[in-house]
Amino acid sequence: MLLVVDVGNTNVVFALFEGREIKTRWRIATEARRTGDEYAVWLLQLLSIEGFGRGDIHQIIVGSVVPRAVHNLTVLAQKYFDVEPMIAGHGTADWGIAVDVDEPRSLGADRALNAIAAHAKYEADLIVVDFGTATTFDAIDFTGAYKGGIIAPGINLSLDALVGNTAKLPRIAIEAPRSKSVIGTNTEDQMLIGVFWGYVAMMEGLIARMKQEIGRPCKVVATGGLAILFHDHTELFDHVDSDLTLEGLAILAERAERRALAT
């Protein structure tokens, strides 16, 4: 089986794949200083609970936007699974797509992986919206080339800034407003309207501008934790695919395996 590890700025997601099927997944808060031994104590217990053993894992691939975490995850793979991990974007697990931007090496692993998986599944000009610590909007053309995109503050960051820099505004949960009205009659409703519908308006504007610049019909694919919330209350997205980044890692691992067998 394949163990994929997606290291984001907020969480690290581990998932077990059998072929292209996710068998199970686990999530832990990102901590760049967490050692390989600490990961092992946590992960080996979860594997056991799910009925798996370390001997079931024959491949490991890591995609990370936190460079410092890669070393400790490499130690985890080598010491506890006797596997040399593939690092997404490097060696046999290179992206395999054109990265048509000014500084290709600056492209985050999550965005490259989303581009790879989205192109493999939807085969069209695409805009991929990823709700993470930041919200990113990425353009992928019909050949699978990454053409560039947009980085915007994530909705949680926006809310944290609002609450953290005001004396009297309360912490609220991110959810759809109870009413369609955009004129709130109490503080909480006014905040929720501003955060939710303000974010929708931003996405509508940015997606419309991207479509106009692309100049061809394109599909909009959303991924990340809040994608479903916005999909349920807007018509912004053609597809919601919460596992896009993980699937991109699985695709890279497949390609690397084919290359190894061909040599």
Side-chain angles (χ1 to χ4, degrees):
M1 298 180 76
L2 168 69
L3 177 67
V4 309
V5 188
D6 171 28
V7 185
N9 287 301
T10 303
N11 291 303
V12 184
V13 179
F14 291 74
L16 269 184
F17 275 79
E18 192 162 34
R20 290 284 184 89
E21 180 186 358
I22 297 177
K23 305 301 289 185
T24 189
R25 76 192 78 196
W26 307 281
R27 185 180 300 266
I28 191 171
T30 300
E31 171 49 70
R33 294 176 296 179
R34 183 175 284 115
T35 68
D37 297 328
E38 289 173 315
Y39 277 118
V41 169
W42 173 81
L43 181 60
L44 293 175
Q45 290 186 72
L46 290 171
L47 281 167
S48 178
I49 289 169
E50 297 281 354
F52 298 103
R54 68 178 76 183
D56 294 318
I57 295 172
H58 305 290
Q59 279 186 303
I60 297 175
I61 186 167
V62 178
S64 178
V65 298
V66 183
R68 190 174 176 183
V70 173
H71 169 73
N72 293 325
L73 289 164
T74 298
V75 171
L76 168 72
Q78 293 171 337
K79 182 175 180 180
Y80 291 96
F81 296 95
D82 196 26
V83 169
E84 189 63 38
M86 295 169 280
I87 308 301
H90 300 273
T92 58
D94 63 39
W95 300 133
I97 61 173
V99 181
D100 190 13
V101 296
D102 295 339
E103 299 177 355
R105 291 185 179 181
S106 69
L107 178 61
D110 51 349
R111 303 172 78 181
L113 293 164
N114 288 343
I116 290 164
H119 175 68
K121 296 182 75 172
Y122 303 112
E123 295 184 340
D125 284 284
L126 301 167
I127 296 170
V128 177
V129 183
D130 188 352
F131 295 91
T133 307
T135 298
T136 56
F137 302 74
D138 292 311
I140 298 96
D141 75 10
F142 61 93
T143 69
Y146 177 85
K147 306 299 288 185
I150 298 165
I151 302 172
I155 191 168
N156 282 296
L157 285 180
S158 300
L159 182 58
D160 287 344
L162 179 64
V163 174
N165 289 282
T166 53
K168 297 179 69 176
L169 293 182
R171 168 67 60 180
I172 59 171
I174 297 171
E175 58 186 4
R178 292 177 290 273
S179 165
K180 292 293 185 182
S181 173
V182 293
I183 301 176
T185 57
N186 60 68
T187 299
E188 288 80 3
D189 284 351
Q190 290 172 14
M191 290 176 65
L192 193 54
I193 290 165
V195 169
F196 185 87
W197 291 118
Y199 219 76
V200 168
M202 179 195 73
M203 291 190 291
E204 288 174 336
L206 292 178
I207 289 170
R209 285 174 177 267
M210 290 180 75
K211 285 182 173 181
Q212 184 177 20
E213 189 167 336
I214 291 166
R216 297 182 297 271
C218 59
K219 297 176 183 178
V220 181
V221 182
T223 191
L226 290 171
I228 288 292
L229 172 64
F230 287 106
H231 184 57
D232 287 344
H233 295 89
T234 70
E235 296 182 356
L236 286 168
F237 312 130
D238 297 295
H239 304 280
V240 173
D241 196 329
S242 59
D243 294 323
L244 209 57
T245 313
L246 300 176
E247 290 171 353
L249 284 165
I251 290 169
L252 280 192
E254 281 183 7
R255 291 177 182 173
E257 186 176 24
R258 286 198 298 268
R259 289 174 184 171
L261 291 173
T263 57

